[in-house]
Amino acid sequence: MSTIIKRHVTLVWFSLVLLTFVAWFTADTVTITDVDTKRWATVAILVLAYFKVRLVIQHFMEAKHAQLPLRVLMEIWPLATLILMLTLYLLPLFT
């Protein structure tokens, strides 16, 4: 068992499973009538999804071993997507 846990990919996989459970628990605990809590729970779930995408890109697509321009692109793309999604989701709050 100790050799399985020592593998880096296994730890990343366990992290992905943990983040999935945290997102599920966050979504499950929000009541339908509380709009403000539901909004911030959605933001938290989107941020968790960003970290999951980043883990998959870095460790399973092996972008961390790629050349610098590709690594930079693979860091910017999920972050830009997260910022765009949060902006479009939260924009009605500020208008």
Side-chain angles (χ1 to χ4, degrees):
M1 180 69 178
S2 63
T3 58
I4 293 174
I5 292 182
K6 287 182 182 178
R7 292 191 50 163
H8 184 72
V9 176
T10 306
L11 293 175
V12 172
W13 182 81
F14 280 129
S15 300
L16 289 169
V17 170
L18 179 66
L19 288 173
T20 300
F21 280 122
V22 169
W24 173 75
F25 180 76
T26 302
D28 193 46
T29 57
V30 175
T31 61
I32 295 174
T33 57
D34 193 7
V35 176
D36 195 43
T37 304
K38 185 168 49 173
R39 180 173 289 125
W40 292 111
T42 303
V43 170
I45 291 169
L46 287 173
V47 171
L48 287 172
Y50 162 75
F51 285 112
K52 287 173 62 175
V53 166
R54 191 172 179 280
L55 281 174
V56 169
I57 288 173
Q58 293 296 316
H59 298 284
F60 294 107
M61 295 175 66
E62 297 183 5
K64 67 180 179 178
H65 301 296
Q67 295 176 355
L68 184 62
L70 182 60
R71 279 189 302 194
V72 169
L73 180 67
M74 296 305 269
E75 289 289 335
I76 291 174
W77 172 70
L79 184 61
T81 304
L82 174 67
I83 290 170
L84 179 65
M85 289 177 69
L86 289 177
T87 302
L88 292 175
Y89 183 70
L90 296 174
L91 192 62
L93 284 177
F94 304 112
T95 57

